[in-house]
């Protein structure tokens, strides 16, 4: 029975531990502690029936980690889970919300919920995201998509006595009930208020009853200032801390105290929510992204520079996500529709390795060196599995093309993993038998001795970009030992017209060059080398592809003219470098923070290659930067070191996007390096992409000097940073870079962080792991557009095509050696599309086998702020179509017409379809 009184009358005490799997200690060290903690938990819960509930930090991976060491305890653990005493899920791991893709967040929840059900229980239906470094704008919709109507929150709020109960509304309008933990002790308020003060003392709780009761009273008074109802929640636990065996005694003692008129009950999050929902009144609404600067709070801050810490981790992560989301899964569907089994277990394993790198202290790059070395192994395993599946799936199609259409010729098939058709210039590497082509054997002729034809046997012109001779090409025929061909690898650029989510095949017709015999001046020239002359170079340091013109200045900066908008952007690619004495969480500038810029440096400019379809410009600079910070950490050292920088800029014919790669030999320590893109646009806002959203941000922000920490200087993005005025705009697209800003200056400069070099590590003497010494490479692109129409669809399309790229698979002439046992009739067409979508505003996020193997999943999201209608068309006729939620549970049967289904999506809505094809 609840005690009577004003304000809170009852507090649900929820026992839990926040378990960072790896952080200031390596995984194996943390696991040893985890095993001891769960051992004690099992013993205690089995022997103290009044210690009723325990929450396993909202993630299931800790169960796997425990059982690898204690498999004999599975039955004991399962009994407590099935009886509802130990709550597990809904996450597999507790991720960062900005440094992973939206699809990764969904797969994380899918895996956590599936694992929970394997234990014979439903997962905890709570959006438990207590220690994540800010929250993205689409998390309410993602949680609702799994039937979760609430979120337990901490960081990302100002902390000015925020109410304990709020509504959090996502970008699409979805709402969840926010359990806003207090700004001081967050998910550890009961622990710090009641348990922690007595930890390091010789006497115990019983010997200090008066102090215990006083502290509980102060805690309740603090909570009363924030509560909107008569019940509250107390979090009994903290990072990596074991249970309190005396908790039952503590609760009895507190409840028996006449000085306290609030009842404390040992409870769970779901029991608390069940009681809370019936007591809610009008609540404050918080909309969209929650990443506010803290006004108050002991730990209430959002580390902003985890966006750029150990940036190589972010780059590897996005590469692995792209391989899975844009290639391994869609190609798996394509191949399975042609008769090859969808090898789901392999793809699931690749996801598992990848998801294990997504905990916030891991992917954020703010852990010790050993943790981040371990991550590289997992990235490698995920990548290698994906690459193997991609290769096998592509070759399954190529190996079963209609042989008569190839006419005995060597062929290559270009795959498009994007929902958008590609009509532009592709770069392809051709493995030709060593020494056979004129490009290698008869170099003086400056041509090749093969012609390329498309699927309708129309000749396709091409440009030779380069060659690598005498390379090993390994293959392993099924039932045979591995073999190898010695090949010359010729890189070419050619115009292609590729269908959406499909492929197109090209054949090579090789021939022998017949020329004049020596001194036989009157002999006819029968067949000469293939040459397609032309150039994109328009001046000594100027290149024009018909859509943009690039001029390289003496210091390596570029001016770009958007020929469609008749506007020139000047001084792009300026390099800026400053000191950094911070750590994995934060960039901190010393008092003496000398900033270096590439202005005035002498650049060496080379045309790496040039022709009618593609040109690549190489810009070489040598920065001279301070070797490190001084010993007092007050200024940068006087000693300078050379830091070579090489940037490659590729123009493709009629393409409004410039493709860039910057390579840096980093020999300097303790610094942050950025690329600057002065836009000169009269804009008051800009856009950055985050999972399933394009967030509009003001360039000018209110004064934040009175806040707890320094004002934010950067914002998160996952690949798009863009701004525009009334007529024109510019976008920076990136791979694996997440930290950017638009400066509130007349130039409206986009500042893109490439990397930070830091020495400090949490709870260690530091290491060189965070300095990122050695060669670093960064891929990004610049897009130029008119702003006379909605830009969201264009930005998403160009970014998706940039990060997806193309895949190529080859088929030799002559005898075909298949490398897997998968086979079907050799009757596939030379060109095919498996999925096409009308309406640019809908972006495909996933195309995969359903989790239960019953049909296929297509997930899309509306990238704009208006309702969108679209039609999906497939290569195969449909047997059924349905809307499902993110957990792939049925919601609504959809009508369809043959092989097409129509859908409508509200602003920024995520839609998931389950499709069953009629393959009969």
């Amino acid at each position: 029975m609840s005690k009577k009184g004003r304000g809170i009358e009852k507090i649900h005490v929820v026992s839990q531990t926040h378990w960072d799997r790896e952080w200031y200690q390596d995984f194996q060290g943390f696991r040893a502690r985890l095993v001891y903690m769960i051992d004690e938990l099992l013993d205690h819960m089995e022997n103290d029936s009044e210690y009723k509930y325990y929450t396993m930090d909202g993630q299931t991976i800790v169960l796997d980690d425990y059982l690898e060491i204690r498999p004999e305890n599975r039955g004991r653990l399962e009994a407590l889970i099935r009886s509802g005493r130990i709550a597990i899920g809904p996450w597999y791991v507790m991720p960062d919300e900005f440094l992973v893709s939206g699809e990764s967040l969904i797969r994380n929840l899918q895996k956590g919920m599936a694992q929970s059900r394997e234990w014979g229980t439903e997962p905890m239906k709570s959006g438990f995201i207590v220690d994540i470094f800010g929250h993205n704008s689409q998390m309410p919709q993602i949680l609702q998509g799994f039937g979760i109507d609430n979120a337990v929150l901490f960081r990302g709020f100002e902390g000015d006595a925020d109410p304990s109960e709020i509504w959090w509304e996502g970008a699409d309008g979805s709402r969840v009930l926010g359990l806003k933990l207090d700004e001081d002790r967050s998910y550890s308020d009961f622990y710090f208020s009641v348990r922690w003060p007595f930890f390091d003392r010789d006497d115990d709780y019983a010997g200090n009853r008066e102090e215990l009761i006083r502290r509980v009273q102060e805690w309740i008074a603090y909570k009363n200032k924030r509560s909107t109802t008569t019940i509250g929640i107390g979090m009994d636990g903290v990072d990596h801390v074991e249970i309190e065996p005396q908790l039952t005694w503590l609760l009895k003692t507190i409840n028996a105290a006449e000085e306290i008129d609030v009842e404390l009950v040992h409870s769970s999050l779901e029991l608390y929510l069940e009681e809370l929902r019936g007591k809610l009144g009008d609540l404050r609404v918080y909309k969209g992204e929650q990443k506010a600067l803290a006004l108050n709070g002991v730990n209430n801050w959002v580390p902003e520079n985890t966006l750029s810490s150990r940036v190589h981790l972010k780059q590897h992560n996005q590469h692995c996500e792209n391989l899975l989301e844009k290639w391994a899964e869609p190609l798996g569907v394509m191949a399975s529709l042609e008769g090859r089994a969808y090898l789901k277990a392999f793809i699931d394993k690749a996801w598992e390795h990848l998801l294990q790198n997504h905990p916030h202290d891991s992917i954020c790059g703010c852990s010790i060196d050993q943790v981040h070395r371990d991550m590289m192994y997992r990235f490698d395993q995920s990548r290698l599995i994906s690459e193997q599946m991609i290769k096998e799936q592509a070759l399954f199609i190529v190996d079963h093309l209609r042989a008569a259409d190839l006419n005995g010729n060597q062929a290559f098939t270009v795959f498009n993993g994007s929902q958008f058709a590609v009509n532009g210039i592709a770069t392809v590497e051709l493995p030709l038998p060593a020494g056979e082509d004129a490009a290698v054997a008869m170099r003086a002729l400056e041509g090749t001795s093969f012609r390329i034809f498309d699927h309708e046997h129309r000749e396709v012109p091409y440009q030779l970009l380069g060659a690598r001779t005498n390379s090993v090409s390994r293959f392993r025929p099924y039932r045979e030992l591995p073999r190898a061909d010695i090949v010359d690898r010729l890189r070419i650029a050619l115009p292609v017209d590729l269908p959406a989510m499909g492929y197109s095949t090209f054949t090579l017709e090789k021939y022998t060059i017949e020329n004049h015999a020596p001194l036989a001046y009157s002999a006819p020239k029968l067949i000469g080398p293939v040459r397609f002359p032309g150039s994109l170079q328009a001046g000594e340091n100027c290149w024009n592809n018909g859509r943009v013109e690039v001029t390289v200045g003496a210091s390596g900066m570029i001016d770009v003219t958007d020929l469609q908008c008749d506007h020139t952007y000047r001084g792009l690619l300026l390099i800026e470098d400053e000191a950094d004495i911070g750590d994995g969480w934060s960039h901190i500038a010393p008092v003496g923070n000398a900033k270096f810029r590439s202005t005035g440096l002498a650049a060496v400019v080379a045309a790496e290659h040039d022709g009618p379809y593609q040109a690549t410009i190489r810009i070489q600079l040598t920065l001279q930067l301070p070797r490190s910070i001084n010993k007092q950490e007050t200024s940068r050292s006087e000693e300078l070191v050379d830091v070579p920088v090489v940037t490659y800029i590729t123009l493709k014919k009629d393409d409004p996007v410039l493709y860039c790669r910057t390579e840096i030999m980093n020999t300097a320590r303790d610094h942050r390096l950025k690329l600057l893109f002065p836009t000169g646009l009269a804009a008051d806002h800009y856009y950055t992409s985050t999972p399933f959203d394009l967030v509009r941000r003001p360039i000018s922000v209110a004064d934040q000097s009175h806040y707890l920490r320094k004002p934010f200087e950067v914002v998160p993005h996952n690949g798009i940073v863009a701004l525009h005025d009334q007529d024109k705009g510019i976008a920076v697209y990136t791979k694996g870079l997440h930290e950017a800003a638009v400066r509130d200056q007349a130039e409206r400069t986009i500042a893109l962080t490439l990397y930070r070099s830091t020495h400090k590590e949490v709870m260690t003497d530091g290491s060189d792991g965070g300095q990122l010494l050695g060669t670093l490479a960064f891929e990004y692109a610049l897009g130029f557009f008119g702003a006379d129409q909605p830009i969201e669809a264009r930005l998403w399309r160009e970014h998706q095509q940039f990060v997806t790229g193309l895949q190529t698979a080859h088929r030799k002439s002559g005898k075909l050696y298949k490398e897997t046992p998968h086979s079907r009739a050799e009757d596939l067409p030379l060109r095919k599309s498996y999925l096409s979508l009308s309406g640019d505003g809908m972006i495909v996020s996933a195309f995969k086998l359903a989790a239960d193997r019953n049909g296929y999943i297509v997930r899309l999201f509306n990238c704009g702020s208006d309702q969108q209608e679209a039609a999906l068309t497939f290569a195969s006729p449909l047997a059924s179509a349905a809307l499902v939620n993110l957990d792939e549970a049925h919601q609504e049967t959809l009508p369809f017409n043959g092989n097409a289904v129509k859908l409508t999506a509200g602003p920024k809505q995520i839609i998931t379809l389950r499709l069953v094809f009629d393959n009969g």
Side-chain angles (χ1 to χ4, degrees):
M1 181 180 295
S2 297
K3 299 180 180 180
K4 301 298 181 183
R6 299 183 62 186
I8 295 176
E9 299 175 357
K10 181 179 180 181
I11 294 178
H12 291 250
V13 177
V14 176
S15 294
Q16 50 91 31
T17 185
H18 175 55
W19 204 268
D20 297 299
R21 193 168 181 254
E22 50 190 14
W23 177 29
Y24 59 78
Q25 192 173 8
D26 60 83
F27 163 65
Q28 297 300 348
F30 267 134
R31 175 154 68 177
R33 292 185 61 181
L34 175 72
V35 168
Y36 307 148
M37 186 274 288
I38 295 182
D39 283 348
E40 182 184 24
L41 175 67
L42 297 181
D43 289 342
H44 192 76
M45 294 191 82
E46 289 169 345
N47 290 292
D48 182 357
S49 60
E50 295 186 23
Y51 192 103
K52 297 178 181 179
Y53 304 105
Y54 195 82
T55 298
M56 204 62 76
D57 196 35
Q59 51 183 327
T60 58
I61 195 170
V62 292
L63 305 176
D64 297 342
D65 295 341
Y66 176 74
L67 289 180
E68 283 183 359
I69 306 300
R70 292 277 196 265
E72 68 276 12
N73 283 346
R74 181 181 178 93
R76 298 172 64 196
L77 188 55
E78 187 170 359
L80 291 166
I81 291 171
R82 283 176 175 263
S83 66
R85 293 183 66 189
I86 293 181
I88 62 174
W91 294 98
Y92 176 56
V93 301
M94 193 175 292
D96 185 87
E97 290 183 29
F98 291 99
L99 293 173
V100 303
S101 70
E103 202 60 41
S104 286
L105 293 171
I106 291 171
R107 306 310 176 87
N108 193 335
L109 281 165
Q110 285 181 339
K111 185 170 179 62
M113 298 187 88
Q115 282 196 325
S116 298
R117 290 168 182 141
E118 289 170 2
W119 284 88
T121 187
E122 277 296 298
M124 179 175 69
K125 291 296 179 66
S126 172
F128 201 69
I129 42 180
V130 295
D131 195 30
I132 294 174
F133 302 157
H135 306 289
N136 75 60
S137 60
Q138 289 283 32
M139 275 309 298
Q141 184 177 185
I142 291 173
L143 293 173
Q144 285 283 10
F146 285 90
I148 298 173
D149 67 356
N150 66 95
V152 187
L153 306 163
F154 167 41
R155 301 182 193 272
F157 297 82
E158 288 188 338
D160 190 16
D162 300 309
S164 296
E165 296 81 33
I166 64 173
W167 288 118
W168 180 20
E169 185 175 295
D172 73 317
S174 297
R175 279 188 179 184
V176 292
L177 172 62
L179 306 184
K180 173 61 184 68
L181 304 177
D182 76 64
E183 60 268 26
D184 282 326
R185 298 305 185 183
S186 62
Y187 52 86
S188 308
D189 61 330
F190 182 87
Y191 171 84
F192 279 116
S193 298
V194 180
R195 290 173 54 181
W196 182 70
F198 300 95
F199 167 70
D200 204 22
R201 290 157 54 164
D202 293 333
D203 48 4
D204 59 11
Y205 304 112
N208 294 275
R209 180 193 175 280
E210 193 173 305
E211 180 185 352
L212 172 65
I213 299 305
R214 174 177 57 80
R215 290 186 177 278
V216 172
Q217 288 176 307
E218 293 171 352
W219 172 58
I220 292 172
Y222 182 89
K223 295 183 76 65
N224 264 322
K225 295 177 182 178
R226 291 154 178 77
S227 179
T228 69
T229 73
T230 58
I231 66 169
I233 187 171
M235 303 298 281
D236 170 38
V238 72
D239 298 8
H240 326 114
V241 166
E242 294 74 19
I243 67 168
E244 173 51 81
Q246 298 185 68
L247 179 66
T248 299
W249 179 90
L250 275 172
L251 296 182
K252 287 180 179 179
T253 301
I254 295 167
N255 285 329
E258 294 183 359
E259 303 95 321
I260 296 176
D261 60 356
V262 174
E263 179 187 16
L264 273 63
V265 297
H266 200 212
S267 188
S268 68
L269 270 171
E270 290 189 295
L271 289 174
Y272 166 66
L273 283 162
E274 185 178 333
E275 185 171 355
L276 176 67
R277 289 187 183 98
K279 297 179 179 292
L280 296 174
D282 292 334
L283 300 179
R284 188 184 303 177
V285 179
Y286 291 72
K287 293 187 177 183
E289 181 179 291
Q290 300 302 320
K291 209 173 189 295
L293 192 63
L295 273 169
N296 297 291
V298 176
N299 292 304
N300 186 32
W301 63 290
V302 177
E304 62 173 333
N305 301 114
T306 55
L307 298 169
S308 56
S309 298
R310 302 193 188 234
V311 73
H312 65 295
L313 303 175
K314 284 74 168 172
Q315 293 173 301
H316 282 285
N317 180 68
Q318 189 177 51
H319 181 57
C320 289
E321 287 176 332
N322 287 339
L323 288 175
L324 279 164
E325 297 170 20
K326 297 172 171 50
W327 288 110
E329 290 181 335
L331 269 179
V333 175
M334 298 179 201
S336 69
L337 291 174
E338 304 296 3
R340 184 183 194 267
Y342 186 107
L343 297 184
K344 183 174 181 296
F346 279 109
I347 292 175
D348 287 350
K349 194 65 178 178
W351 270 113
E352 181 179 293
H353 283 296
L354 183 57
L355 292 174
Q356 288 175 6
N357 281 345
H358 287 179
H360 48 292
D361 292 308
S362 302
I363 193 62
C364 285
C366 53
S367 298
I368 63 172
D369 221 18
Q370 181 65 55
V371 167
H372 300 309
R373 287 198 299 270
D374 290 348
M375 290 175 66
M376 291 307 302
Y377 171 81
R378 299 182 204 125
F379 283 136
D380 281 346
Q381 301 316 302
S382 179
R383 173 182 58 83
L384 291 168
I385 294 171
S386 292
E387 288 175 346
Q388 181 65 26
M389 290 299 102
I390 292 166
K391 175 185 174 183
E392 289 186 11
Q393 290 157 173
L395 283 178
F396 179 80
I397 290 174
V398 172
D399 288 349
H400 296 98
L401 295 172
R402 191 178 296 116
D405 294 340
L406 301 176
N407 198 29
N409 292 306
Q410 180 174 342
F412 63 93
T413 300
V414 183
F415 290 86
N416 176 18
S418 166
Q419 72 188 73
F420 304 104
V422 173
N423 193 338
I425 306 303
T427 302
V428 173
E429 183 179 84
L430 301 177
L432 302 179
E436 287 191 7
D437 191 74
V440 174
M442 306 174 72
R443 294 174 183 171
L445 298 178
E446 296 184 347
T448 60
S449 50
F450 62 89
R451 295 185 181 277
I452 296 177
F453 295 86
D454 69 8
H455 62 289
E456 294 184 342
H457 206 255
R458 295 171 298 196
E459 186 167 7
V460 179
Y462 61 90
Q463 173 188 339
L464 184 61
L465 301 176
R468 180 158 54 98
T469 61
N470 296 314
S471 174
V472 175
S473 177
R474 187 191 68 200
F475 62 100
R476 200 221 74 169
Y478 197 65
R479 304 188 196 283
E480 182 56 88
L481 295 173
R483 301 182 183 184
D485 292 329
I486 304 301
V487 299
D488 296 328
R489 299 185 184 275
L490 272 58
R491 285 192 308 116
I492 64 170
L494 73 164
V496 296
D497 177 12
L498 305 177
M501 204 72 79
Y503 66 87
S504 194
T505 302
F506 301 81
T507 56
L508 277 70
E509 295 189 6
K510 294 182 283 187
Y511 59 88
T512 301
I513 292 178
E514 299 183 28
N515 221 322
H516 298 291
L519 303 180
Y521 298 110
S522 60
K525 179 178 179 180
L526 300 177
I527 301 177
V530 175
R531 303 188 187 100
F532 294 101
S535 172
L536 299 184
Q537 189 160 2
E540 293 304 324
N541 280 307
C542 180
W543 288 260
N544 185 317
N545 70 354
R547 183 60 178 78
V548 294
E549 184 171 272
V550 177
T551 302
V552 183
S555 60
M557 291 181 288
I558 62 172
D559 296 341
V560 181
T561 299
D562 182 343
L563 299 174
Q564 189 176 75
C565 296
D566 191 25
H567 177 77
T568 300
Y569 298 87
R570 301 188 184 279
L572 305 181
L573 289 183
L574 174 63
I575 301 172
E576 178 183 86
D577 189 84
E578 64 178 320
D580 195 332
I581 58 172
D583 52 26
W585 293 298
S586 302
H587 165 255
I588 300 174
V591 175
N593 182 25
K595 292 187 179 181
F596 289 68
R597 291 191 170 200
S598 58
T599 309
L601 291 180
V604 176
V605 181
E608 189 81 1
H609 51 252
D610 179 52
Y613 300 115
Q614 186 167 310
T616 297
I617 310 160
R618 185 178 71 217
I619 304 171
Q620 297 176 229
L621 293 168
T622 300
L623 302 173
Q624 287 193 312
L625 301 178
R627 179 180 291 277
S628 61
I629 201 73
N630 66 10
K631 290 183 179 179
Q632 296 78 30
E633 293 192 344
T634 56
S635 64
R636 307 183 77 171
S637 64
E638 295 295 326
E639 182 184 0
L640 302 180
V641 294
D642 287 346
V643 179
V645 180
V646 181
T647 295
Y648 300 88
I649 302 171
T650 295
L651 298 85
K652 298 181 179 182
K653 182 177 173 59
D654 296 326
D655 193 333
V657 177
L658 297 179
Y659 302 89
C660 307
R661 177 182 175 88
T662 294
E663 297 177 356
I664 300 176
M665 175 56 73
N666 183 38
T667 58
R669 302 166 186 265
D670 312 315
H671 68 122
R672 175 170 66 174
L673 189 141
K674 294 183 176 182
L675 287 181
L676 305 184
F677 305 91
T679 71
L681 297 175
D684 59 8
H685 64 272
Y686 65 109
Y687 302 87
T688 71
S689 60
T690 57
F692 300 117
D693 197 8
L694 193 66
V695 179
R696 176 175 166 141
R697 304 183 185 278
I699 294 176
S700 298
V701 297
D703 176 45
Q704 296 178 320
S705 59
H706 59 293
Y707 279 65
L708 186 64
R709 301 178 72 89
K710 67 173 184 175
F712 288 146
E713 57 173 348
V714 296
V715 298
H717 73 94
N718 64 2
I720 303 174
V721 184
L723 72 161
H724 64 85
D725 60 16
Q726 291 184 337
D727 306 312
K728 56 196 171 295
I730 180 174
V732 178
Y733 305 122
T734 70
K735 294 181 182 180
L737 303 177
H738 292 268
E739 182 176 290
V742 174
R743 293 178 173 170
D744 188 10
Q745 300 167 344
E747 295 91 341
R748 290 296 193 252
T749 298
I750 298 173
L752 176 69
T753 303
L754 294 190
Y755 68 98
R756 295 198 301 127
S757 292
T758 57
H759 173 71
K760 295 174 183 174
E761 285 181 356
V762 57
M763 295 190 185
T764 77
D765 294 334
S767 81
D768 273 352
Q771 297 284 15
L772 302 186
L773 301 172
T775 301
L776 307 173
F778 307 92
E779 291 186 69
Y780 52 97
L782 303 178
F784 303 90
F785 55 90
D788 55 349
Q789 56 186 353
I791 66 165
E792 294 95 338
R794 181 192 186 112
L795 294 175
W796 279 107
R797 181 180 72 250
E798 288 185 346
H799 175 256
Q800 290 290 299
Q801 291 185 318
F802 169 58
V803 298
T804 302
L806 302 171
Q807 296 275 351
T808 306
H810 299 272
R811 176 166 169 162
K812 297 188 297 183
S813 59
K815 182 174 176 58
L816 179 65
Y817 294 98
K818 297 178 182 178
E819 298 190 44
T820 73
H822 309 100
S823 187
R824 56 153 291 146
E826 294 184 15
D827 59 359
L828 294 179
L830 298 189
R831 177 184 172 94
K832 189 170 184 178
S833 172
Y834 292 85
L835 180 158
S836 61
L837 175 65
S838 69
D840 286 347
M842 296 295 292
I843 305 299
V844 174
S845 172
F847 189 27
K848 69 181 189 72
L849 187 70
D852 62 4
R853 301 176 183 271
N854 181 23
Y856 299 91
I857 295 295
V858 176
R859 186 159 24 257
L860 314 94
F861 67 97
N862 178 357
C863 69
S865 300
D866 298 315
Q867 181 172 293
Q868 290 278 340
E869 294 183 355
L872 281 165
T873 304
F874 302 92
S876 303
L878 290 165
S880 66
L883 285 175
V884 296
N885 66 10
L886 296 181
D887 202 21
E888 300 184 13
H890 181 84
Q891 291 182 305
E892 178 186 344
T893 299
L894 291 178
F896 59 91
N897 182 14
N899 62 344
V901 60
K902 293 182 178 180
L903 53 89
T904 301
K908 310 224 173 165
Q909 184 181 1
I910 303 167
I911 289 182
T912 307
L913 305 177
R914 181 194 294 266
L915 305 161
V916 176
F917 294 106
D918 183 1
N919 292 322

